[in-house]
Amino acid sequence: MSGADAQVQPRKTGLTRRQKRSLSRGAQYVVFVAVVIAFAVTADWGRLKNQFAQWDLVKQMFPDVITLALKNTVLYTMSGFVVGLVLGMVIALMRLSSVGPYRWVAGIYIEIFRGLPALLIFVFVGVAVPLAFPGTEIPGGTYGKVALALGLVSAAYMAETIRAGIQAVPKGQMEAARSLGFSHARAMVSIIIPQAFRIVIPPLTNELVLLFKDSSLVLFLGVTLEERELTKYGRDLASQTANSTPILVAGLCYLLVTVPLGFVVRRLEAKAGEATK
């Protein structure tokens, strides 16, 4: 065998990395399509239509599902978000304080309210607060109770988000403000916090989506007919009609708000990513 023949390398017959990825992706598509077809063939569409798609019930829900249930859900969410944002800001500043007791109190609050289910917080506000302070009423009635319960839940998460945003602002911003004669408090309010909020807007918007869904727990506070939100309204009508169409409509109303908010979150995250490049 000549030297030239000895240097000839055997031809590789295996798949390249790109071909393997394409083959894997194609297999996933095939499995997905097979699952969809299997569901479409085996599902009892007649029973599903009878239970979840009664057009007469859909028409019966309007306009109350919008003017009453959805309106109350939005009011509960926004009031809870405002309370949570204000309380979260205070806790975040306490968490960053140089005073030890402030940091300890803030840390304990965050650990407790992040660890407890939101349902227990609603029960605490609806039952424990009146027992602990007899004769006192939370301002705003049910709306005030929901705002307090949602605010207590969301403040723990918002506080950590705001704290991370403040710490993400370059330290040179504070040093420059102090060199211009700003006090520490004025520099925080005028320079640091506005920049921090531009950073944390996407996660705060995501928290708003979570609060919108958690507002369904208001039913555990015992609401009147005029104070019902989407979940309570859908469940009551479903019980009256022995049909699940109202629950489906309530779910679609949730999506009517959460899907656009999710799109806003993705856009804000994309803009934040472009700004950091």
Side-chain angles (χ1 to χ4, degrees):
M1 181 182 294
S2 63
D5 293 335
Q7 295 178 358
V8 175
Q9 299 293 329
R11 179 180 297 178
K12 294 182 179 180
T13 58
L15 297 175
T16 65
R17 185 176 301 176
R18 178 177 298 179
Q19 290 173 331
K20 289 180 181 178
R21 285 200 301 265
S22 299
L23 185 62
S24 175
R25 191 179 299 113
Q28 294 175 33
Y29 289 151
V30 171
V31 172
F32 175 76
V33 172
V35 171
V36 172
I37 293 175
F39 173 78
V41 171
T42 58
D44 190 338
W45 293 103
R47 295 182 64 182
L48 287 174
K49 181 177 181 297
N50 290 334
Q51 188 66 23
F52 291 97
Q54 291 296 319
W55 182 244
D56 291 339
L57 290 179
V58 175
K59 291 189 293 185
Q60 181 181 338
M61 296 179 68
F62 285 88
D64 287 348
V65 69
I66 301 296
T67 59
L68 176 68
L70 182 59
K71 181 199 73 174
N72 283 337
T73 302
V74 172
L75 289 176
Y76 293 147
T77 303
M78 295 308 300
S79 60
F81 183 80
V82 171
V83 172
L85 184 62
V86 173
L87 184 57
M89 172 62 72
V90 173
I91 296 172
L93 294 176
M94 291 174 63
R95 186 87 159 143
L96 295 171
S97 174
S98 58
V99 181
Y102 287 169
R103 295 197 306 272
W104 303 335
V105 171
I108 292 171
Y109 177 92
I110 290 171
E111 293 302 324
I112 290 177
F113 284 92
R114 282 199 309 183
L116 290 175
L119 172 59
L120 293 184
I121 306 302
F122 273 81
V123 173
F124 171 79
V125 171
V127 178
V129 171
L131 289 176
F133 305 98
T136 61
E137 289 288 338
I138 297 176
T142 301
Y143 294 95
K145 293 178 182 178
V146 176
L148 177 60
L150 289 177
L152 290 173
V153 173
S154 61
Y157 296 94
M158 290 188 189
E160 287 294 87
T161 300
I162 295 171
R163 179 185 63 82
I166 292 175
Q167 291 180 326
V169 177
K171 294 182 179 180
Q173 297 289 321
M174 174 62 77
E175 295 172 356
R178 296 302 299 272
S179 66
L180 293 175
F182 283 65
S183 66
H184 184 274
R186 185 183 175 190
M188 287 291 294
V189 172
S190 302
I191 307 295
I192 305 301
I193 292 179
Q195 295 186 61
F197 265 92
R198 284 197 291 269
I199 297 172
V200 302
I201 282 177
L204 288 182
T205 308
N206 196 47
E207 182 65 26
L208 180 62
V209 175
L210 297 177
L211 281 181
F212 188 76
K213 295 184 293 183
D214 285 343
S215 65
S216 62
L217 297 173
V218 68
L219 61 92
F220 291 98
L221 295 177
V223 295
T224 65
L225 293 177
E226 296 300 318
E227 295 170 341
R228 291 178 297 175
E229 41 68 54
L230 282 170
T231 299
K232 177 65 173 173
Y233 180 85
R235 286 184 59 186
D236 288 350
L237 197 54
S239 299
Q240 295 171 13
T241 60
N243 191 276
S244 300
T245 300
I247 296 178
L248 177 63
V249 174
L252 293 176
C253 289
Y254 277 106
L255 294 177
L256 186 66
V257 176
T258 57
V259 170
L261 280 177
F263 176 77
V264 170
V265 171
R266 291 191 295 272
R267 292 292 299 171
L268 291 173
E269 289 175 345
K271 288 185 177 181
E274 293 174 358
T276 57
K277 291 182 179 178

